[in-house]
Amino acid sequence: MSASRRSGTTDELGPEEPERDGGPEGPGGSDLLAALLDGMDAALCAFDADGVLTHWNREAERILGWTAAEAVGRHGLAGWAVRTADAEEVEARLMSAMQAPGRQVNEFALLTKDGGRVLVRTQSAAVRGPDGKPAGVYCAFSEVHAQIDLERSIALSEALFEDASWGVVLVDADLRPAVVNAHAARALGTGRTSVLGRPLGELLAQGVEELEAALTHVLAEGAPPAPAEIWVSVRTPEGHLRRCWRSGFLRLASPLTEEPVPLGVGWLFQDVTEAKQIEQEASLLRFRAQQLHRAARAAAECEDPRDAATVHLDFALAGFADHALVDRVVGGSLNDSDGDQVAAVRLVRVAATPTGAPGPSLLTGAAGLPVRYGEGHPALQCVERVGSVRASIGVAPPEQAREWARARQWPLDAVHALCAVLRSRGRTLGVVTFLRGAGRSQFERSDSIYAEDVAVRIAAALDLAAEAGEKP
């Protein structure tokens, strides 16, 4: 334990300073001082004005091996804690702190009890008596590598919260942000201070449940073995912004307790939205190319070209749409020069997917009755423009959506439509319409390109069927 006046040595106030009742050296005061010194994480020693060692705590004993009984009372460090050749310089630098303002930082090589050497970093400062004059010096020291490790940890923390190129958020045990770095604040669309203490649900419109479940799991079980990709929607003044964050999690525990006490979770994330979108688009293109290849091989085995047309339709539906319709121009086809006939064009349904239970597309239209499409119908616009047309009711009440689909002669659960023109040998043969329900997103430009590829194959099959029917 630390030495005190009870062991017959001087304390930091000097040998002539009288004891004061109730002070640090009063009844029980020396025990309290000893406990405080021995509980320090840093090694500590102190010298009086004459250079006599007055205090030596347990951490100093751990580093150098000398006990308090062996160290306290020695004059200087020469010959036991410092090599004799270095002692004069070391002691001069330590004792110079008595005359210098503030603290002085030095690095020395000290000797251990077993003869080894330890490089330590010291912080020394003057100890002043009641009259304000220097009465001695205290010196706190630690092994250089331990000090460097601490400084690196502090520097790393500061760098993460200032200059990191990924988001860093410390979340407390209540799942609320406690510290946020600049990158994370920008990703969340808010300032570094305004986000603190707010529920995650106020910052994210979607993905909150998944994120909070991950944070709760880390608090209970520890860090997951690999990063997780979480899709979220961030609330911004312009609306909801959908992003994909590749996230890593670390459970934070207090180092000051015998059993780890969770302080929260360290959440590190990086925006990988563009990479994920490129990956998804590439995967979708591969799948659609494979579907076109499979459809072509299956259609090649059909004796009836009309069956080949429905095969192309069925393969196109997978992962693309819920329903599909094929309408043929009454009279067979329209030439590009028949501009006057476009306004009066009529379409006959020749194939459709079942509206009830799932199954293969069915050939229809044997009676040749035109479909009752009203003026401005997307299928008629498709014929008129000789190009794809997209239509959607968007977000609407169910009854309004059903009425929208009913007015266009489509299945009642359709809310998004894509019409692609059927072209073969420079003529317009009809229209193929793909329909999606409310559970799917609207058709996009990339969907139009795929629909046009399917339409080319269906048109070729229907044209071949018409040629075969005209021959005797």
Side-chain angles (χ1 to χ4, degrees), residues 331-347:
S333 64
L334 290 175
N335 294 322
D336 292 343
S337 59
D338 298 335
D340 295 337
Q341 299 181 23
V342 172
V345 69
R346 294 183 298 169
L347 300 173

Side-chain angles (χ1 to χ4, degrees), residues 3-285:
S4 66
R5 192 183 301 274
R6 292 187 304 172
S7 61
T9 62
T10 58
D11 64 8
E12 66 270 36
L13 298 178
E16 302 302 328
E17 181 68 21
E19 295 187 13
R20 295 183 301 273
D21 292 340
E25 299 297 336
S30 60
D31 294 332
L32 175 60
L33 178 60
L36 291 174
L37 295 179
D38 286 339
M40 294 179 62
D41 292 331
L44 186 135
C45 61
F47 301 86
D48 62 15
D50 297 324
V52 177
L53 197 67
T54 62
H55 289 82
W56 188 265
N57 71 349
R58 289 189 185 277
E59 184 65 12
E61 178 181 341
R62 185 192 67 79
I63 294 176
L64 298 182
W66 301 95
T67 65
E70 295 170 320
V72 171
R74 290 179 180 262
H75 190 285
L77 303 174
W80 65 283
V82 177
R83 291 194 312 171
T84 304
D86 300 330
E88 183 177 353
E89 178 187 358
V90 170
E91 292 177 5
R93 291 166 68 181
L94 286 177
M95 299 306 293
S96 66
M98 291 180 60
Q99 309 302 327
R103 293 178 297 176
Q104 290 186 332
V105 178
N106 296 286
E107 289 187 2
F108 303 124
L110 301 183
L111 296 178
T112 63
K113 187 176 182 179
D114 58 8
R117 300 184 72 192
V118 177
L119 184 63
V120 300
R121 180 172 295 176
T122 67
Q123 294 187 41
S124 52
V127 176
R128 302 189 180 278
D131 57 359
K133 296 181 180 180
V137 174
Y138 79 85
C139 173
F141 63 92
S142 60
E143 297 175 80
V144 166
H145 71 82
Q147 182 70 20
I148 292 176
D149 288 344
L150 176 61
E151 292 178 1
R152 283 174 179 162
S153 298
I154 296 173
L156 175 61
S157 298
E158 292 181 351
L160 286 175
F161 287 104
E162 295 295 337
D163 306 321
S165 59
W166 55 86
V168 181
V169 180
L170 296 189
V171 182
D172 63 21
D174 294 328
L175 306 186
R176 298 180 181 232
V179 185
V180 178
N181 76 341
H183 187 96
R186 288 193 299 269
L188 292 168
T190 183
R192 293 185 62 180
T193 56
S194 60
V195 70
L196 303 182
R198 295 173 58 186
L200 294 174
E202 295 183 5
L203 306 171
L204 303 176
Q206 295 180 351
V208 178
E209 295 82 2
E210 184 178 359
L211 178 57
E212 289 185 344
L215 296 172
T216 302
H217 173 80
V218 173
L219 281 172
E221 304 293 337
E229 292 177 351
I230 302 177
W231 282 93
V232 300
S233 291
V234 182
R235 301 181 191 273
T236 66
E238 295 77 20
H240 295 170
L241 183 62
R242 186 160 173 78
R243 312 303 295 171
C244 180
W245 291 340
R246 181 171 293 152
S247 303
F249 302 94
L250 298 170
R251 180 166 62 177
L252 305 179
S254 173
L256 304 179
T257 57
E258 294 183 3
E259 295 184 1
V261 176
L263 296 179
V265 177
W267 170 32
L268 293 81
F269 66 89
Q270 191 173 28
D271 194 319
V272 293
T273 307
E274 293 185 5
K276 291 299 294 183
Q277 288 175 342
I278 292 173
E279 179 184 330
Q280 291 174 351
E281 290 173 1
S283 177
L284 183 60
L285 287 175

